[in-house]
Amino acid sequence: MPLTEERHRILNETGKILLEKFGGSFLNCVRKSEKSAQKLIHLVVESFPSYRHVTQFEGKRISFYKRAQILVADTWSLERKGDGCFKDISSITMFTDYGLPQVLVYLGALKYSDELLKKLFKGEMLSYRDKQEVEIRGCSPWCVELIRDCLLELIGKKGKKSNGEINSILLDYYLWDYAHDHREERKGISFPHTHCIYY
């Protein structure tokens, strides 16, 4: 397993913060969010340093917060009627990981340059915060947002309402499962390799 020592340090750090700030229970953290997914993300990012995934791109500060978003999404998925019933769950984007860009490229929703495709096919590592690594992670949620908007538009044209049944989290879950079910067909498209604690 890569970054074993760093992962061990983060587990200890997270446990200590959970004990000191939240009485040893993540539920206390969830309750402080007052049923807001955005508040919970910001609370997690402010309280737990390993969730602060921030980078620079062309002089601008970019926040991905993938792990914080997954934490909030999983909490919502488990408990949609209790403390995890977030009123603003649709404000969460898909999770910027290495697997979904691969399936988005396979489906034709995202396109890599020939240069990037060659690099990935050779198994070259993309450095953390490398321009291409940041572009992949930035374009993927935007792509999923556009897919969501198209689906909502199609539903609207049929005179129906989504009622929150379509959001970027559910699209992420669907695409992740699709990727696993179709891994053989996707073999020609390599996924990006980057070593960092934020994936």
Side-chain angles (χ1 to χ4, degrees), residues 5 9 42 45 51 105 107 121 125 135 139 143 167 189:
E5 287 181 18
R9 183 195 66 73
H42 290 292
V45 168
Y51 283 83
V105 170
L107 292 170
F121 191 71
M125 292 285 289
E135 285 176 339
C139 289
C143 183
N167 62 43
I189 303 165

Side-chain angles (χ1 to χ4, degrees), residues 20-55:
E20 290 173 358
K21 284 191 167 187
F22 302 103
S25 173
F26 181 65
L27 184 57
N28 292 329
C29 194
V30 173
R31 287 179 175 154
K32 280 190 173 188
S33 73
E34 301 169 335
K35 299 196 177 193
S36 166
Q38 288 298 325
K39 277 189 183 177
L40 183 54
I41 284 174
H42 290 292
L43 184 59
V44 167
V45 168
E46 287 168 14
S47 304
F48 302 95
S50 69
Y51 283 83
R52 277 181 220 139
H53 182 191
V54 177
T55 191

Side-chain angles (χ1 to χ4, degrees), residues 3 9 12 14 20 23 30 65 69-70 96 106 127 133 140 144 154 157 162 172 195-196:
L3 306 171
R9 183 195 66 73
N12 285 329
T14 302
E20 290 173 358
V30 173
Y65 300 159
Q69 286 187 302
I70 287 178
T96 55
Y106 171 74
S127 300
E133 187 259 345
S140 299
V144 171
L154 287 171
K157 283 180 180 175
S162 161
D172 189 295
H195 273 186
C196 75

Side-chain angles (χ1 to χ4, degrees), residues 56-61:
Q56 291 287 320
F57 183 76
E58 296 183 354
K60 293 180 184 173
R61 184 179 185 266

